[in-house]
Amino acid sequence: MLTPRDLADRWRVPQRTLGQWRYQGSGPAYIKIGGAVRYRAADVEAYENEHVVGVSA
């Protein structure tokens, strides 16, 4: 599980950007339990794989 800070560091984006994506319904899937937001590593990797540009399979 990654925190928003972990993911922001991984992608080098502000945590605020992740919050905006959650509000807009975009970005990777996340889990919210008791107000805490967490991202599953598998969901983050799936999101990354969906956004690969310029690579032929």
Side-chain angles (χ1 to χ4, degrees):
M1 302 295 272
L2 287 82
T3 66
R5 181 180 210 160
D6 294 334
L7 186 54
D9 289 346
R10 176 179 177 145
W11 287 351
R12 296 184 177 102
V13 298
Q15 289 183 59
R16 184 179 187 116
T17 298
L18 298 175
Q20 290 173 340
W21 290 348
R22 288 191 305 271
Y23 178 78
Q24 295 168 353
S26 59
Y30 64 94
I31 297 170
K32 190 169 186 181
I33 300 174
V37 172
R38 296 292 182 264
Y39 296 92
R40 294 184 295 193
D43 292 330
V44 170
E45 290 170 9
Y47 185 84
E48 290 170 344
N49 288 334
E50 292 171 1
H51 290 83
V52 173
V53 177
V55 177
S56 58

